[in-house]
Amino acid sequence: MEMELDRISNLPSDVTEKILSHLPVRDAVRTSVLSTEWRYKSAMLPRLVFDAKSISTQHQTFANVVDHVLLSHIGPLYKFKIVTHISFRDMDRWILHLSRNSIKEFILENLGVQRYKVPSSMFSCQDLTYLKLYTCLLQPPSTFTGFKSLKRLRIADVSLTDDVLENMIVHCPLLERLSVEWCDGFSQLNINAPNLQVLRFMGDFEDINILNTSNLVDVYIYKQDEFVQRRGPCRYCNLLKFFAELPNIHRLDMNHLFTKYLAVGSLPEKLPKPCVHLQFLSVSVCIDDVKHIITFLCLLRMSPALEELEVYALCHQNYKAEVGKVNSWVDENQSCSFTQLRHVKIHCNFAVDLIRFLLISSPALETMTIYHQSTIPPAGYDLAKKLLSFRHASLNLEIILTDLRGGSILISEM
């Protein structure tokens, strides 16, 4: 009887590599006992991931498994990812080993409470294209001149100073994506990156300067703490300063504390350089704060190509006292027209005047979804009746009222 062909062993090398890359490390290593053909396949994997799912520590320690895999590895190693409560001494040893290879992607998610100080050997990995660090302390050596090939940098819960981040950005000339999440040590956030396309920032700063970023198209900023003006009245306009270097922005997402930051200074009626490519805007607005509303209006006026708008309308206790000012603002700006705006989402309970303003200013509007905090009956029906009485510019419009429990009312053919 003729022996059946070993179809798996005869697969092309790129196919077996893909199969092994989808297996946990422990299972990939076990394939070495299948046959002589498979003996070294797992040792040649260019991408290694070590986490609780990929390693069984019943018979060996986590560190022993990583040591064994790294020491037996053959050929280039492009990606190394580790997610665990790391031993700092072990991690130092592994990074030193990786620095002697052409590592391109390095991901370290430290699950411990204490921040891990990244060793100097990490900064000699000049082939890095992607670097991700969680819960670390970042202090590059004085000899560090940047990661010349780095395109993506993501840091979270990392301790570093203004100068360290600024120097890293400046000395990574190919950087395209930057994410900074809940890091400390900032006062002045300076970003100078000519190739940057995507910026994500969550945390706090006193001031932000974005320079030489004509390629930046996607920005998300979540400011953590209230803006505190420490140097008396501010003569310059934060709104103008922020958008001066964003001529090609397509998407902008920001919370109300960043809106408050943009509202500092003497606000113009509209920006001198409109963002002609901005298509998506998500913004939080205090609708009882006239300066917030004027800032919001400036953002809309500077966005002639805006197609999608999401508004989180916030309200403080003095809304009733300010409602007259808000109504006046809406009436004064009825001549505004947002000709490309097609989809609007509003999260609110009190933003009736804002809804009225958008209805009369958006001739191409197709859908308006209102997330209402009250249960649908009777508050939702009362709002629906009010909406039916509003004048609107669009001839083909659906309005959907949705409450927190998932109930909804559809108002069509208004």
Side-chain angles (χ1 to χ4, degrees):
M1 182 177 180
E2 188 175 345
M3 185 177 294
E4 291 188 11
L5 291 175
D6 183 354
R7 297 182 183 275
I8 295 180
S9 294
N10 290 317
L11 288 172
S13 58
D14 59 330
V15 175
T16 57
E17 179 185 312
K18 191 169 184 178
I19 293 172
L20 289 173
S21 67
H22 282 81
L23 294 175
V25 168
R26 64 170 184 266
D27 295 331
V29 171
R30 287 171 182 168
T31 62
S32 63
V33 301
L34 293 177
S35 68
T36 54
E37 294 288 337
W38 285 81
R39 185 174 180 181
Y40 297 110
K41 288 184 183 292
S42 63
M44 299 174 66
L45 285 174
R47 296 169 178 82
L48 298 176
V49 176
F50 300 96
D51 56 24
K53 295 180 180 179
S54 64
I55 294 180
S56 174
T57 57
Q58 294 178 353
H59 306 292
Q60 299 183 72
T61 66
F62 191 100
N64 285 342
V65 174
V66 178
D67 283 335
H68 171 74
V69 172
L70 285 180
L71 290 175
S72 60
H73 192 270
I74 303 170
L77 180 56
Y78 298 137
K79 176 180 178 179
F80 182 88
K81 177 179 179 178
I82 187 163
V83 183
T84 186
H85 293 76
I86 62 171
S87 161
F88 292 177
R89 182 177 297 179
D90 291 333
M91 198 68 239
D92 286 349
R93 185 175 65 255
W94 298 331
I95 291 178
L96 179 61
H97 178 84
L98 294 171
S99 68
R100 295 165 179 166
N101 292 267
S102 298
I103 188 74
K104 294 184 181 299
E105 298 184 16
F106 181 80
I107 298 109
L108 168 57
E109 296 185 25
N110 174 19
L111 302 183
V113 176
Q114 185 178 355
R115 285 171 174 160
Y116 167 66
K117 183 178 180 180
V118 177
S120 59
S121 57
M122 180 81 256
F123 299 96
S124 64
C125 299
Q126 286 301 303
D127 292 310
L128 277 176
T129 60
Y130 177 42
L131 177 62
K132 178 179 177 182
L133 300 172
Y134 281 13
T135 317
C136 294
L137 173 62
L138 207 55
Q139 293 179 339
S142 58
T143 56
F144 178 62
T145 58
F147 295 114
K148 304 305 180 185
S149 301
L150 194 68
K151 293 186 176 181
R152 294 184 294 162
L153 174 62
R154 183 175 182 181
I155 56 176
D157 189 26
V158 170
S159 180
L160 72 172
T161 62
D162 297 351
D163 292 343
V164 168
L165 181 62
E166 182 178 353
N167 288 332
M168 281 196 66
I169 295 172
V170 168
H171 292 105
C172 296
L174 300 183
L175 191 63
E176 296 176 354
R177 302 177 70 94
L178 173 64
S179 178
V180 181
E181 306 167 20
W182 313 119
C183 299
D184 58 30
F186 295 113
S187 56
Q188 187 88 7
L189 183 61
N190 297 317
I191 298 172
N192 187 335
N195 285 299
L196 193 64
Q197 298 175 15
V198 179
L199 171 64
R200 296 281 184 274
F201 183 90
M202 290 180 280
D204 197 35
F205 54 83
E206 294 178 19
D207 199 12
I208 180 171
N209 293 301
I210 295 182
L211 306 170
N212 193 23
T213 52
S214 60
N215 288 309
L216 193 54
V217 296
D218 190 340
V219 177
Y220 174 94
I221 297 183
Y222 185 98
K223 195 174 186 306
Q224 183 177 11
D225 294 330
E226 288 277 352
F227 175 77
V228 179
Q229 197 166 307
R230 294 178 169 83
R231 299 182 180 179
C234 186
R235 295 182 180 179
Y236 61 84
C237 175
N238 279 352
L239 187 66
L240 289 175
K241 183 184 72 169
F242 179 73
F243 286 99
E245 298 289 337
L246 298 176
N248 295 309
I249 187 169
H250 286 65
R251 293 178 60 91
L252 175 61
D253 194 329
M254 58 190 190
N255 72 332
H256 75 285
L257 292 179
F258 189 67
T259 306
K260 184 175 182 178
Y261 168 83
L262 293 180
V264 171
S266 178
L267 291 171
E269 291 187 2
K270 64 177 181 179
L271 295 178
K273 292 183 179 180
C275 295
V276 295
H277 302 290
L278 188 64
Q279 297 177 342
F280 174 87
L281 174 64
S282 178
V283 59
S284 296
V285 184
C286 294
I287 60 174
D288 55 345
D289 187 320
V290 173
K291 202 161 188 180
H292 255 232
I293 293 175
I294 294 174
T295 302
F296 173 62
L297 176 62
C298 287
L299 288 170
L300 292 181
R301 282 181 167 177
M302 61 169 257
S303 311
L306 192 65
E307 296 180 1
E308 296 182 58
L309 173 66
E310 185 166 21
V311 182
Y312 292 83
L314 309 177
C315 177
H316 301 299
Q317 294 181 353
N318 62 336
Y319 175 68
K320 292 183 178 180
E322 297 287 338
V323 69
K325 294 180 181 178
V326 175
N327 286 335
S328 175
W329 169 83
V330 171
D331 293 336
E332 290 174 2
N333 290 278
Q334 288 191 22
S335 60
C336 294
S337 182
F338 312 116
T339 58
Q340 302 300 314
L341 188 59
R342 287 173 170 77
H343 305 286
V344 172
K345 294 180 180 179
I346 300 181
H347 304 257
C348 69
N349 242 16
F350 309 99
V352 175
D353 297 304
L354 176 60
I355 294 170
R356 178 164 63 94
F357 168 69
L358 291 172
L359 285 174
I360 63 177
S361 306
S362 310
L365 194 61
E366 297 173 6
T367 62
M368 176 180 282
T369 305
I370 303 169
Y371 296 90
H372 200 254
Q373 293 180 5
S374 301
T375 54
I376 287 299
Y381 291 119
D382 292 340
L383 180 56
K385 290 179 183 178
K386 190 171 293 187
L387 293 174
L388 285 170
S389 68
F390 288 163
R391 183 167 59 89
H392 55 89
S394 175
L395 300 177
N396 183 24
L397 174 64
E398 288 186 350
I399 297 182
I400 303 169
L401 305 183
T402 301
D403 70 355
L404 296 179
R405 300 186 305 180
S408 64
I409 302 173
L410 174 64
I411 305 174
S412 59
E413 298 180 358
M414 291 189 63

